[in-house]
Amino acid sequence: MLITGGSIPSSTAPLRARRRQGVRSMDGQDPSNGKGSGGGSGEMKATVASPSHGGQNRGMEIGEERPRRALETEGHSLPMGELGAQYQGLINRPPRPRPEEQHKLSIVPLVFLIFYEVSGGPFGIEDTVGAAGPLLAILGFLVFPLIWSIPEALLTAELGTMFPENGGYVVWVSSALGPFWGFQQGWMKWLSGVIDNALYPVLFLDYVKAGIPRLGGGPPRVLAVLSLTAVLTYMNYRGLTIVGWVAVFLGAFSILPFIVMGLVSIPKLRPKRWLKVDVHNVDWNLYLNTLFWNLNYWDSVSTLAGEVNSPAITLPKALFYAVILVVASYLYPLLSGTGALPLDRESWTEGYFPDVAKAIAGVWLSWWVQGASALSNMGMFVAEMSSDSYQLLGMAQRGMLPEFFGKRSRHGTPVIGILFSASGVLLLSFLSFQEIVAAENFLYCFGMLLEFIAFVRLRVKYPAVPRPYKIPLGTVGCTLMLVPPTLLIIVVLALSSLKVALVSFGAVVVGLVMQPGLKYVEKKGWLRFSVSPDLPEFGATPAEAAVGRLVR
């Protein structure tokens, strides 16, 4: 997978977003001063050739006032998500200093944040062996990345560098399909992320209860969930840079015991054990859901793109390295565990790796694996919460959510988004592991279908828009690349239980009602909505982008 190349355009500074009241003129003066875009001394006429419509020239006169559109020396805007919109910054101008810009993510912590958003290590992959046996489990982690992980990572690299802001996939879908579907994307992906994050207290306690049986249920388990959530939520509040470097430390500590386990297991390995399979005794639903859960969420990093240092360079490289790290972190312990021990499929369920480590090397390694599991779940929790909370901040900055979601703490973190995400985790963390995985996958599938459609539409409608990283395939090739992941989504949805399907569809309906409800709240003025002036302007048509280049 080549993901590190691509040309990088000249940097563009953030533009002032259109104000909700009034229309600004070409020279930046208020129309009331006699320099409105409809005439006066500030009037400017220009005719440019549109790059659209197969290269045919289409005259465009600029100078008269336009409804809901501003033309400024800084840039030109359309309402968020209007068809024909693009993401354009038109002149170089130093942005207003913000506290959070002093703490941008570099490539190393970003790699480990992606690692924890997707994986966090081999904890949770045990069910693939229990559901299908060693051979299908190993093949799953070899083939599934080719079908799903690499295409999703490539798509994220292209669109994440094309739209380097915290709205992430919400902005992608809004630009291609309009704000209504952009909101639905944000709702489904946020809810899916919160459901996913509810897994980590469950997994943490499943591993720890082997050493502390009282955490298996009752008030001690409830208290442990609340305490863990509070501590990790506070860590997110303190800053994304802290979270990133904590992820680096936790990642190294979580991977190290499995490296040791693999080395110790070498004399005990029997390669023929890897080939065991019984195709007549496979739980395909559990098998595919576990693979899917352990190898998705590559697009989650897009909601942190506004916090990344030089995202056009850093983001594609980080995704490339993270794919290698994730796949290796699954295959290495899987080969060690299934090759060194006689097969007992019933024992291969979540939380089984400490027993594998004990059988291979002794109690000392078992305790190390348990400790690594606990820390890994902490890393996955803080990484997922960062993605979820910054997504809400990005949606607020684009006027999709009330303005208070865009408020940052003195540490530069989205405090309201963090609190909302933590509340969702607490509400869902008492479900079973399998129920959480199935519900999360179902909602995530719907969101990915919207992303695929948006990606192809942006390629078809706006092929000339700058893409700092571009997948080295044409539009037809990219469409064919997305066919296997789409078929996989259909299979995962078809295998879902009726209960999971009904609950997930209910969640989708909530989103369909919520968006017009928020528009009504905005219209009534009950809550304040605004578009952040610190974002690069989203919304220039191809012709207006050409004007912007002339203005520069």
Side-chain angles (χ1 to χ4, degrees):
M1 179 180 70
L2 298 176
I3 198 169
T4 59
S7 60
I8 301 172
S10 59
S11 61
T12 57
L15 306 170
R16 286 193 195 282
R18 59 181 175 85
R19 303 302 185 200
R20 290 192 175 275
Q21 300 293 331
V23 179
R24 301 293 296 271
S25 66
M26 285 297 296
D27 62 358
Q29 301 298 316
D30 190 276
S32 63
N33 295 330
K35 296 185 179 182
S37 58
S41 60
E43 184 176 1
M44 171 181 171
K45 299 284 185 179
T47 301
V48 299
S50 170
S52 61
H53 303 291
Q56 296 178 2
N57 291 338
R58 180 170 58 122
M60 177 178 176
E61 191 175 63
I62 296 178
E64 69 270 20
E65 184 174 338
R66 300 178 180 181
R68 303 177 66 205
R69 185 175 298 178
L71 294 174
E72 301 183 275
T73 52
E74 297 101 314
H76 318 287
S77 68
L78 286 174
M80 173 64 182
E82 181 172 314
L83 292 182
Q86 291 177 180
Y87 185 94
Q88 287 288 341
L90 300 181
I91 66 169
N92 292 322
R93 194 175 82 177
R96 296 188 301 177
R98 294 182 293 174
E100 65 271 15
E101 289 184 346
Q102 302 174 7
H103 306 287
K104 292 289 189 178
L105 285 169
S106 59
I107 189 167
V108 174
L110 185 60
V111 168
F112 278 88
L113 279 175
I114 298 172
F115 171 72
Y116 273 118
E117 286 170 350
V118 175
S119 165
F123 314 102
I125 71 171
E126 299 98 328
D127 275 323
T128 57
V129 179
L135 180 61
L136 289 180
I138 293 168
L139 288 177
F141 286 105
L142 284 171
V143 176
F144 201 94
L146 301 176
I147 297 174
W148 182 268
S149 299
I150 291 177
E152 187 183 4
L154 287 169
L155 182 150
T156 301
E158 178 168 322
L159 295 183
T161 54
M162 185 179 175
F163 300 93
E165 60 175 275
N166 294 331
Y169 36 69
V170 178
V171 181
W172 309 346
V173 175
S174 294
S175 67
L177 305 176
F180 177 81
W181 290 109
F183 182 90
Q184 303 312 315
Q185 172 77 351
W187 164 247
M188 287 187 290
K189 295 301 283 287
W190 178 81
L191 185 58
S192 173
V194 170
I195 294 173
D196 180 67
N197 220 13
L199 281 169
Y200 305 128
V202 174
L203 282 174
F204 171 80
L205 295 176
D206 282 344
Y207 276 95
V208 174
K209 71 182 181 183
I212 310 176
R214 293 187 63 185
L215 295 179
R221 185 180 181 91
V222 173
L223 181 61
V225 169
L226 293 175
S227 301
L228 181 64
T229 302
V231 170
L232 298 181
T233 299
Y234 178 73
M235 190 180 297
N236 274 272
Y237 167 77
R238 287 303 305 271
L240 191 57
T241 303
I242 293 175
V243 170
W245 284 108
V246 166
V248 173
F249 167 77
L250 296 178
F253 187 84
S254 299
I255 293 171
L256 190 56
F258 290 99
I259 295 176
V260 173
M261 186 178 79
L263 295 175
V264 175
S265 71
I266 291 176
K268 303 179 181 180
L269 291 179
R270 303 293 183 267
K272 65 180 181 180
R273 292 172 176 163
W274 296 331
L275 304 178
K276 292 185 177 181
V277 62
D278 182 4
V279 294
H280 301 293
N281 185 24
V282 176
D283 185 343
W284 292 106
N285 188 20
L286 178 59
Y287 172 70
L288 289 175
N289 267 309
T290 305
L291 283 174
F292 194 69
W293 176 66
N294 280 284
L295 286 165
N296 62 17
Y297 276 86
W298 298 95
D299 60 339
S300 292
V301 71
S302 68
T303 65
L304 304 177
E307 313 299 314
V308 174
N309 184 34
S310 302
I313 300 173
T314 305
L315 185 59
K317 287 184 177 180
L319 283 162
F320 175 75
Y321 298 139
V323 168
I324 296 173
L325 180 61
V326 167
V327 174
S329 72
Y330 287 150
L331 284 173
Y332 186 82
L334 193 60
L335 291 170
S336 301
T338 57
L341 301 178
L343 179 62
D344 180 8
R345 281 179 56 174
E346 292 184 359
S347 297
W348 280 88
T349 59
E350 70 273 5
Y352 184 56
F353 266 122
D355 295 331
V356 174
K358 181 179 179 180
I360 290 175
V363 175
W364 64 274
L365 187 57
S366 175
W367 280 101
W368 192 0
V369 170
Q370 284 185 342
S373 167
L375 293 181
S376 176
N377 282 282
M378 291 172 60
M380 288 187 284
F381 187 102
V382 296
E384 183 63 56
M385 180 169 285
S386 295
S387 175
D388 296 340
S389 57
Y390 277 96
Q391 177 199 320
L392 296 181
L393 179 143
M395 292 177 71
Q397 288 176 329
R398 285 299 178 188
M400 291 183 169
L401 290 176
E403 191 179 68
F404 62 81
F405 278 98
K407 300 294 183 183
R408 292 181 184 256
S409 69
R410 60 190 179 90
H411 304 291
T413 51
V415 60
I416 302 300
I418 290 172
L419 291 175
F420 264 74
S421 299
S423 299
V425 168
L426 289 175
L427 291 173
L428 296 166
S429 59
F430 300 101
L431 298 175
S432 72
F433 180 87
Q434 287 80 9
E435 287 175 332
I436 293 175
V437 169
E440 175 263 324
N441 284 347
F442 201 96
L443 289 170
Y444 187 81
C445 285
F446 278 114
M448 288 309 303
L449 288 175
L450 283 177
E451 282 184 32
F452 292 166
I453 295 170
F455 173 74
V456 174
R457 182 174 176 81
L458 289 170
R459 272 291 190 102
V460 171
K461 298 292 288 185
Y462 313 114
V465 174
R467 291 165 168 82
Y469 172 81
K470 187 174 182 178
I471 299 173
L473 294 172
T475 301
V476 174
C478 287
T479 303
L480 293 175
M481 178 188 74
L482 296 177
V483 170
T486 303
L487 294 176
L488 179 62
I489 285 175
I490 294 172
V491 171
V492 171
L493 293 176
L495 291 175
S496 298
S497 67
L498 179 61
K499 176 183 176 182
V500 169
L502 291 176
V503 171
S504 301
F505 275 121
V508 171
V509 171
V510 171
L512 296 175
V513 175
M514 189 185 302
Q515 197 269 351
L518 286 174
K519 298 300 291 183
Y520 182 79
V521 168
E522 180 182 11
K523 181 179 178 180
K524 290 292 186 180
W526 295 340
L527 290 174
R528 180 178 174 84
F529 291 72
S530 64
V531 179
S532 172
D534 295 318
L535 292 174
E537 190 59 57
F538 177 89
T541 65
E544 291 170 329
V547 173
R549 288 190 288 271
L550 292 175
V551 171
R552 269 200 307 240

